[in-house]
Amino acid sequence: MTELRKEINYVIACVSEFASRHKLSLQAAFQYLYMYKGIEFLKENYEIEHTLSLDDALDDLIIICRNNGGVL
């Protein structure tokens, strides 16, 4: 599997888990993460974030989104 494919799969997994944790649809979770820079954060920091647990990555996403105006 290529590195890009691994990165895409990781982002999808994070969006899915984020949606479950916050009781959102996948679409709503993606829109929230995209709007408040969570997706950008995952892409830019993939090398580090994918070594963490999903719980840690989701906690990081909440911090990033809140720092960019998100309110979840």
Side-chain angles (χ1 to χ4, degrees), residues 14 18 33 38 41-42 57-66:
C14 287
F18 188 89
L33 291 170
F41 171 78
L42 288 175
L58 295 180
D59 292 344
D60 289 347
L61 284 173
I62 287 294
I63 293 166
I64 294 301
C65 291
R66 284 185 180 152

Side-chain angles (χ1 to χ4, degrees), residues 5 8 14 16-18 22-23 25-26 32 43 50 56 72:
R5 191 66 172 146
I8 290 168
C14 287
S16 178
E17 291 298 318
F18 188 89
H22 296 285
K23 296 179 180 32
S25 69
L26 288 174
Y32 178 85
K43 289 168 51 180
H50 87 279
D56 287 343
L72 280 180

Side-chain angles (χ1 to χ4, degrees), residues 1 9 20 31:
M1 188 179 302
N9 288 341
S20 293
Q31 288 174 338

Side-chain angles (χ1 to χ4, degrees), residues 4 7-8 10-11 34 37-47 49:
L4 179 58
E7 185 177 322
I8 290 168
Y10 178 73
V11 171
Y34 185 81
K37 312 281 191 237
I39 299 294
E40 183 179 323
F41 171 78
L42 288 175
K43 289 168 51 180
E44 289 177 359
N45 296 286
Y46 170 75
E47 289 300 319
E49 287 294 313

